[in-house]
Amino acid sequence: SVSVLSPGYVNARLEKETPIFNKQRIDFAPPEKINSLVVSSNQLCMSLGKDTLLRIDLGKPDEPNQVELGRKDEAKVYKMFLDHTGSHLLIALNTSECLYLNRSVQKVRALSRWKGHLIESVGWNKFLGSETNTGPILVGTAQGQIYEAEISVSEGSLFSTNPDQYFRQVYTLEEESGPAPVCCLEIERGIEGKFFIIATTRKRLFQFVGKVPEGTEQQGFSSIFAMHADHLPSFREFPASFGFSEIAFYTPKLRSNPRSFAWMMGNGVLYGTLDYSRPDSILSDERVWVYPSDIDITVNKPISIVLTQFHFLLLLPDRVKAVCTLNGQVVFQDPFLEKFGLLTRMIKDPTVQQIWIHTEKVVFRYHVQRESRDVWKMYMNMNKFDLAKEYCKDRPECLDIVLAKEAEHCFQNKRYLDSAKCYALTQNYFEEIALKFIEAKQEEALMEFLIKKLSNLKPSEKTQTTLLTTWLTELYLNWLGILEGDPSQRNLYLDTREKFRTFLSSPKNKDCLFNNRASIYELLASHGDTEHMVYFAVIMQDYERVVAHHCQHDEYDEALNVLSRHRDEKLFYKFSPVLIQHIPKKVVDAWISMGSRLDARNLIPALVNYSQSASTQQINEAIRYMEFCVYQLEETQQAIHNYLLSLYALCRPDSLLSYLEQAGTNPNRIHYDLKYALRLCAEHGHHHACVHIYKVMELYEEAVDLALQVDVDLAKSCADLPEDDEELRKKLWLKIARHVVQEEKDVKKAMACLSSCALLKIEDVLPFFPDFVTIDHFKEAICNSLEDYNKHIEELKREMEEATQSAKRIREDIQEMRNKYGSVEPQEKCAACDFPLLNRPFYLFLCGHMFHYDCLLQAVFPNLPAYKQAKLEDLQKKLAATSQPSKSHHRPKDADTISLGKGQQSREQIKADIDDIVAAECVYCGELMIRSIDKPFIDPQKYEEEMQSWL
């Protein structure tokens, strides 16, 4: 069969890797034999021959520095000690003397206070030490004494001072036989100011623990040793000895505390971790690696030990052994050729994690590469799966092996849920694992496996996602069905139900569930789980199914709550006809809360169906919603207004008229159908409403006719509406008068109509009265009418007399004007050109202004309308065409009428027409001057020219 979820790298072959410990021979040929070698912080110091010291900065290996010890005697270098900064070098001589060399100087200094002691070990102060000062340090001698000392270099001093500040004994280490050499010293600081001092002899490992008050660290460690003056400190002892011991530490990061240790002594190697939270001893998880048979401490005893993160390396005279600290197995052996000579010492630079080995003539260096590469496998075999996974995070093929092993381990120990979680993360065949849980009848674990597997699938793996989702749904439903029938499993049922709902509502599964919702609905239906069917429908936002479910089960309030919560207009339109039959008030409240999101036209069918079979009280709910639409939402749809009108006509006639009046009388601003409203009101006998509609339609005759059936005053108000049509108003009032006289037979009311309308006269109304009516009833009206006629006649007479007098005065004025004249003195001048007036033809005006004919023409012509200018030009041409010249425009009348010939009369007529145009009024006193008040004195086009003339 083909696997649905195939493994990706079950048979992946691990790559061939380089060795963890990679040896490199240093290209260096010493001129003399190498006595001792120390390395720290990339600074290497080497003792050559009897008197030479070679210093090399490994960052600049081509620039070695050679220093002479300057000894003339037979003294030899016994041991060298270099601090953690690579600045302070102590050189112990076999003559029980000690020399000091600082990295920044070239001269070796003797430490006078140290003389007489053979130095075996130094405990450097990593907390207070600097490049010029060591701070308080501890020194161990071959006689078992521990001294406290401090070395300081004075910079720029004119006088040479001793570098050793003090050298005082603080303790003596002993074994059964008495004082024993101090092989190693280490100072570490824990928490809360607590210090741990580790000191070793050939058989014993001592621990001194004590607090140094904050701020007094510079005073040294005397107080810690003083605490153990009367009793021995805590120590570990082993019986065998090969004359010395050595302890190594592993520090994971620079400037941090060591995390593990390895002590090489006569019986083997004691190794473990360091726990600084312990009160008396920081040694923890101690184990002893016993020397195997190929190591004989009498013949080829170990020389040095170095500790890395997961291994310790033992230096033997002819080879190097690496032992894994996790399982105690020898994982690496590196024999050296005899031509290099016997191996002398092995040391590790703690800052760069490099291991150095030398013989008397050759230097080697080991690089530690990816030491943790196989650690996962060891932790896995030890069933420490969390640690195993930690060390193969970046190697998925190894992580898969660890997970598979952990899953199998949990399955064998019946921890099925944990097994399922691990199996889900592996690349093992899906079918095999699923069948494994099915055969073990562990349905809960199978569900856990499927859930984890589902969460690890990629979005592109849609087929697998669909398969797992459907299968999980089926398993959940089966499990819930079993638990629901068992009252004792109520809590487990509730917990499982919550998990199932979380599964259904998971955003990661949403798309898959949505695309396959039909299958899920079928599963839910097959199990009869309507509760989760509704829950799933809500998650899928399939609210139509949810509302339909509630309606089918008569849960109308729940159905309305779903509609109100999700505010889907289409669902409101669909389910409102059902809901309004049962909970009308709540449904209308929900509609109102939806506001303008609902189109009321789509709800009218539900209301119509509801109102036809409902009582008046229920119809009021329909009216309430329609009023909300009209008055609050200000709906203008005709269907809404027509329906509200029909409800008013059916149930609320008192509200009908107020609605119509509020709608106004402007047909363009009315939203209901006038003809429909008229027919509706007529059917229900609402005459007042019909009259109002007739008025809006401007059918005043019909309005008055119908109003007369209801109320005469209402008819009167209708009769006055056609204000612009007096004939129609008179006709309407005549209808009212006829009704009052003929129908009501009320003469006084008829007379009141005459007073209400000024258009009606008594003679208009008289024909309506029957013959037997006596004149006494309207004698007063007839008298009033006759008086009105007399007043009108008198007014006409007065107007005729006034017109006669006015005509007489006009004739007199005309006669007077014909005989009016003016005198002109010889010295008079033209008002325009200021030249003598009598030199040329001129005009004289009643105001006293006098103008030459040509001057007046020049002033008037530009201001004449275009048609008058054209007429004037035409008259001038006609005048020029006549043969008789004219010397003056103003001559006595008889001179102008000497000749009565046809040509002379034409000329005089032309001149009169010109006078009418040019001399109609004085150019200075007439309208012409008033019209030109806004014109500038200087023509804008000639403004620049005028300005230049003034300069």
Side-chain angles (χ1 to χ4, degrees), residues 698-830:
E698 297 183 357
L699 299 175
Y700 301 117
E701 291 190 46
E702 290 82 352
V704 170
D705 290 340
L706 185 58
L708 290 173
Q709 299 177 24
V710 180
D711 185 11
V712 173
D713 291 333
L714 179 60
K716 290 179 180 179
S717 65
C718 297
D720 283 330
L721 290 177
E723 298 176 354
D724 299 332
D725 192 345
E726 290 188 357
E727 183 179 352
L728 178 58
R729 284 173 59 200
K730 185 175 181 180
K731 182 179 180 181
L732 296 177
W733 277 102
L734 286 173
K735 281 178 177 284
I736 296 172
R738 181 187 292 114
H739 175 80
V740 170
V741 173
Q742 295 179 353
E743 299 297 330
E744 297 187 6
K745 295 180 173 49
D746 191 337
V747 178
K748 290 184 179 180
K749 271 192 179 182
M751 295 302 101
C753 288
L754 292 176
S755 61
S756 299
C757 179
L759 299 176
L760 290 183
K761 303 296 181 183
I762 187 62
E763 58 269 27
D764 298 326
V765 180
L766 283 175
F768 302 147
F769 289 99
D771 297 337
F772 55 84
V773 176
T774 61
I775 197 170
D776 293 337
H777 292 93
F778 42 84
K779 178 173 64 176
E780 185 180 352
I782 294 173
C783 292
N784 290 336
S785 178
L786 292 174
E787 287 178 2
D788 290 340
Y789 280 123
N790 287 334
K791 289 179 181 178
H792 185 59
I793 291 169
E794 291 296 327
E795 187 177 349
L796 290 175
K797 286 180 179 180
R798 189 174 58 255
E799 289 177 358
M800 289 174 64
E801 289 176 359
E802 289 177 357
T804 303
Q805 293 296 326
S806 179
K808 182 179 179 182
R809 284 195 299 271
I810 291 171
R811 283 194 297 270
E812 290 174 354
D813 289 343
I814 292 172
Q815 188 62 33
E816 184 182 353
M817 287 297 294
R818 286 176 178 173
N819 299 325
K820 198 166 186 177
Y821 65 94
S823 61
V824 178
E825 300 295 330
Q827 67 272 17
E828 294 287 348
K829 295 182 179 181
C830 175

Side-chain angles (χ1 to χ4, degrees), residues 37 92 272 326 401 422 501 519 521 570 748 759 787 799 856 861 879 902 938:
L37 182 145
L326 298 178
I401 297 172
C422 293
R501 292 185 174 185
S519 301
Y521 280 131
K570 294 181 180 178
K748 290 184 179 180
L759 299 176
E787 287 178 2
E799 289 177 358
L856 183 60
F861 187 82
L879 183 63
K902 186 178 179 181
I938 302 172

Side-chain angles (χ1 to χ4, degrees), residues 365 406 409 418 490 495 607 624 694 827 854 862:
R365 179 170 58 189
E406 182 182 8
H409 175 77
D418 293 335
R490 180 64 180 171
D495 184 55
L607 290 171
R624 182 163 69 96
Y694 277 134
Q827 67 272 17
D854 54 343

Side-chain angles (χ1 to χ4, degrees), residues 404-608:
K405 182 72 178 290
E406 182 182 8
E408 186 62 31
H409 175 77
C410 293
F411 194 91
Q412 296 298 332
N413 288 275
K414 300 187 183 303
R415 291 164 48 203
Y416 297 110
L417 286 177
D418 293 335
S419 176
K421 293 175 183 177
C422 293
Y423 269 131
L425 298 174
T426 67
Q427 297 298 318
N428 290 18
Y429 284 99
F430 172 80
E431 295 89 337
E432 293 179 1
I433 301 169
L435 288 172
K436 196 169 187 176
F437 286 115
I438 292 172
E439 290 171 359
K441 296 182 180 180
Q442 294 297 320
E443 193 168 284
E444 188 177 1
L446 175 61
M447 290 168 61
E448 185 68 29
F449 169 68
L450 297 178
I451 290 170
K452 291 294 182 183
K453 203 70 179 177
L454 179 62
S455 65
N456 293 330
L457 289 178
K458 299 176 183 177
S460 57
E461 297 175 311
K462 295 182 179 180
T463 304
Q464 294 90 329
T465 303
T466 302
L467 170 67
L468 294 182
T469 302
T470 309
W471 193 359
L472 274 169
T473 304
E474 176 70 23
L475 291 174
Y476 267 122
L477 291 173
N478 286 337
W479 187 238
L480 286 171
I482 294 170
L483 294 176
E484 189 176 15
D486 189 351
S488 62
Q489 300 289 333
R490 180 64 180 171
N491 291 333
L492 181 58
Y493 167 76
L494 294 175
D495 184 55
T496 306
R497 186 182 68 174
E498 188 62 30
K499 288 181 179 178
F500 180 44
R501 292 185 174 185
T502 303
F503 166 75
L504 291 176
S505 59
S506 170
K508 184 178 179 65
N509 304 332
K510 184 176 181 180
D511 290 340
C512 177
L513 290 170
F514 183 80
N515 295 330
N516 298 279
R517 59 188 182 279
S519 301
I520 303 298
Y521 280 131
E522 290 179 4
L523 281 175
L524 292 166
S526 66
H527 285 266
D529 195 342
T530 56
E531 178 185 2
H532 284 105
M533 181 181 291
V534 173
Y535 181 82
F536 180 68
V538 171
I539 293 173
M540 294 294 103
Q541 297 184 356
D542 189 359
Y543 302 118
E544 182 177 351
R545 186 183 293 268
V546 177
V547 176
H549 170 80
H550 287 311
C551 290
Q552 289 170 4
H553 293 78
D554 297 336
E555 299 169 351
Y556 302 109
D557 286 332
E558 288 296 325
L560 184 59
N561 288 337
V562 174
L563 290 176
S564 301
R565 192 162 50 247
H566 300 288
R567 306 175 73 84
D568 188 333
E569 299 89 347
K570 294 181 180 178
L571 294 183
F572 266 104
Y573 300 147
K574 182 171 183 178
F575 291 101
S576 288
V578 176
L579 296 176
I580 201 169
Q581 299 291 337
H582 301 89
I583 47 173
K585 185 178 185 306
K586 292 181 179 179
V587 171
V588 171
D589 288 339
W591 289 352
I592 291 174
S593 68
M594 287 288 288
S596 59
R597 294 184 60 178
L598 290 179
D599 187 347
R601 291 177 301 173
N602 295 329
L603 297 173
I604 289 177
L607 290 171
V608 170

Side-chain angles (χ1 to χ4, degrees), residues 650-663:
L650 183 65
C651 263
R652 289 190 190 174
D654 54 336
S655 300
L656 175 62
L657 188 59
S658 61
Y659 165 77
L660 294 174
E661 291 174 348
Q662 188 172 351

